[in-house]
Amino acid sequence: MVWVRSTHVDKPHQHGDWLAELDSDERCAQLREHAERLKHICESSKQPQLLVKGEEMVEILIGLNLDQESLIAALYSPAFESQLIDLEQALAWGGKSLPVLLEAVQQMQTISALQHFQHGKPSLVQIDNVRRMLLAMVTDVRAVLIKLAERICFLREVKTLDEETRVLAAKECNEIYAPLANRLGIGQLKWELEDLAFRYLHPSTYKAIAAQLHERRIDREIYINDFLQTLQQALDDEGVQATVYGRPKHIYSIWRKMQKKHLSFDQLYDIRAVRIITDSLKDCYAALGVVHSLWRHIASEFDDYIATPKANGYQSIHTVVLGPQDKHVEIQIRTQAMHDDAELGVAAHWMYKEGGAAGKGSGFEEKIAWLRKLLAWHDDMAGHEGLVDEIRSQVFEDRVYVFTPKGEVIDLPAGATPLDFAYYIHSQVGHRCVGAKVDGHIVPFTYHLKNGERVEILTQKNAQPRRDWLNPANGYLQTSRARGKVVTYFKKLDRDKNLKAGKELLEAELAKHNVPLAQAESILERFNMVHLDDLLAAIGAGDVRLQQVVNQLRPETDSAAERIERLTARKGKATRSGKQSDVTVEGIGNLLVQFAKCCQPVPGDSILGFVTQGRGVSVHRTDCEQLKHLLEQHPERALEVSWSQAKRGNYRVNIRIDADDRQGLLHDITSVLANEKVNVAQLDSRLDTATRQALVTVGIIVAGAEDVQRLLNRIGQLKGIHNVERVTQ
């Protein structure tokens, strides 16, 4: 027999009949008072159907054991949606909770703005965004339950309307609300939503299955009754405390199983179904033993969801046996608590008794926590490691869901602005953006979007991004994705200028060593470049340091004449300024020693020597990239060296400072240098207007590595400093 909820809609309506289902005189009196007030309002406005719908929703939620506050909110919800009552009235009649619940239910109505269901099946991404948006918008899960009840009433209402309206309503419920009820574990609502939607989407198939069920209903009921008597007697004889009854069938579930297993109606195992409800967990397995001792079971159809619950928390034992006359009978075995969870889901734990607070029932907090964690919506996602934390952060705590003018849902980080939205749609939409409308009203670029708002971007063909969009203080862009697109735009815009500047810089520097510019082609891979123009543009933009490029080319391209000239100039100069050498070459007498410019070693640094051709020993820091490159080609030229104990001189060191651009930055840096009594040989600063970042390079004279490290530490403590480090020239 097909299960259909019995409601007063199916029979002549008598106002207040549904109150008889309440188990408390006090609750009954309170709801009657609200119902009488609502009746007067609806009759005055000549909209009695709103009272009927409200009472029908209450009747559905009574079956879920929902609390008193939720029942009152459900009663008023249709009238509130039709603007017959306002929030002030709700506050006066039901306290603080009533307006909150009514507003939350109304927020979920945003789903009706979607246009996907009118133009075929929406994408999985869009469906996922909508489902997550619904839960992100609602802070009280009771509002979701009220909305599910309202959707069931809505599906019943459209029964007599035109086919297009029925199909659109069915698609919406089938794609959004039925899966939502399933994730909440509310079997009662899930099955009715699915059956009603299936009825409108596949009317002929629905009628065919219903007819087949009805055609053999009497024979099946006689068979099930005999089966139940035999089973109940066997359980009683074994001392198993359990209740046995026939399980109602749902047409949608029958059809889905036929599709999944490619079976005809006659081949289905669970047309004849029985449920056993026990008092305890051990009785579940005791009952299973009794069932399998009476009839032979089909091993492939056995599932123990008690030992291994489903993703939504469902627990039960499923088995199929060959009953009398070799007919298949499906049997489900579960405790009363498991049954309540399966049928009522989170609603099973709401408390409404005197002194009990809603939501404090056994296991409720865990159930809600579970709901918040499992919004991936696809069974194969539930077990992925790390998914829970990702969903928690990505869905609820820092996300906002807004609509495009076409009704698509866009998922953005919380705090996103209209400009962020524009760049999410397309780079060109962002570049050409000149204004934005939210819900039809012009808003500034700094406006923070809110859940459920409809955003429209205004563009002009010749519009361009502004550099001040990148300034964090202005608040135009909040997402790195949008900011990155603007930065890329300006980099491309400045490429020609950077290319020209980089070419001039590199040509001038290489000319000192008689190195042709084309020789730079040989080191493109070293800098992860494909074309020479890319390297030149990077030099001009400051992304690649000029001296790095020159140092890569100079060791291999210095001419013999240059080597002789430098050797002659340095001949006999093993010390600086005529003083004793600062470096001792291990095991060797006097040799020409020079300090490498690529890494600028100072006393205190770990050093290593490299024997050059005609230029003596070049001393490098052991972590020098240039030294590593040289040793890869000539490892035999490495030479142990160490700092001598002689009085040390002064050494040139370059440091690079990356910081936020601000007023007084250079003053603060030079003040540190002055306080440390450091001589400054050179100071260069450059401002990146696109990112509002400052780059400061300082050449200083120090006595050793300790002085350098102390200075780095002091500068690093200044406001807005991101990084400070030693660099090459």
Side-chain angles (χ1 to χ4, degrees), residues 307-332:
T308 308
K310 289 186 178 182
N312 65 355
Y314 174 85
Q315 288 185 292
S316 185
I317 296 174
H318 292 193
T319 186
V320 175
V321 300
L322 284 174
Q325 305 172 32
D326 286 337
K327 292 183 177 180
H328 295 97
V329 180
E330 184 192 60
I331 301 174
Q332 293 181 353

Side-chain angles (χ1 to χ4, degrees), residues 157-376:
E157 290 173 4
V158 300
K159 178 181 178 180
T160 58
L161 300 183
D162 60 276
E163 181 180 1
E164 181 180 1
T165 301
R166 293 198 305 269
V167 169
L168 290 177
K171 282 184 177 181
E172 178 185 277
C173 287
N174 196 52
E175 295 288 353
I176 303 299
Y177 291 104
L180 178 56
N182 181 51
R183 282 294 175 186
L184 286 164
I186 310 173
Q188 285 190 21
L189 302 188
K190 169 183 178 287
W191 292 120
E192 187 161 6
L193 285 166
E194 288 179 340
D195 273 8
L196 288 171
F198 180 63
R199 181 177 184 176
Y200 300 146
L201 294 173
H202 305 279
S204 58
T205 305
Y206 178 92
K207 292 177 182 178
I209 295 176
Q212 287 177 297
L213 284 169
H214 181 74
E215 183 179 305
R216 303 169 188 177
R217 179 177 58 84
I218 296 177
D219 291 339
R220 189 167 56 253
E221 287 181 354
I222 293 174
Y223 182 91
I224 288 296
N225 287 335
D226 293 340
F227 187 92
L228 293 175
Q229 290 179 9
T230 302
L231 179 55
Q232 186 69 65
Q233 185 62 50
L235 291 171
D236 293 342
D237 292 343
E238 293 296 327
V240 178
Q241 300 296 318
T243 303
V244 183
Y245 58 89
R247 183 166 63 88
K249 295 308 303 174
H250 307 281
I251 291 180
Y252 177 76
S253 67
I254 292 173
W255 174 79
R256 189 172 59 181
K257 185 164 290 188
M258 291 169 62
Q259 296 295 309
K260 181 179 180 181
K261 297 190 175 183
H262 305 288
L263 299 174
S264 66
F265 182 85
D266 293 332
Q267 293 174 308
L268 292 177
Y269 288 154
D270 60 352
I271 297 303
R272 290 167 291 273
V274 171
R275 182 170 290 143
I276 302 174
I277 305 298
T278 68
D279 290 345
S280 64
L281 178 60
K282 68 175 183 178
D283 284 338
C284 289
Y285 291 98
L288 177 64
V290 172
V291 170
H292 285 180
S293 67
L294 288 174
W295 302 287
R296 182 167 63 87
H297 75 284
I298 300 175
S300 61
E301 298 297 321
F302 177 80
D303 291 294
D304 186 353
Y305 294 120
I306 292 179
T308 308
K310 289 186 178 182
N312 65 355
Y314 174 85
Q315 288 185 292
S316 185
I317 296 174
H318 292 193
T319 186
V320 175
V321 300
L322 284 174
Q325 305 172 32
D326 286 337
K327 292 183 177 180
H328 295 97
V329 180
E330 184 192 60
I331 301 174
Q332 293 181 353
I333 308 171
R334 61 179 71 147
T335 66
Q336 185 63 51
M338 294 174 188
H339 178 67
D340 289 342
D341 279 341
E343 294 298 309
L344 309 181
V346 294
H349 300 296
W350 289 100
M351 298 173 61
Y352 47 77
K353 63 183 180 181
E354 181 76 11
K360 299 293 185 179
S362 172
F364 176 80
E365 293 82 358
E366 292 78 4
K367 196 78 172 181
I368 296 302
W370 159 85
L371 167 67
R372 292 286 182 177
K373 294 175 183 177
L374 291 181
L375 281 178

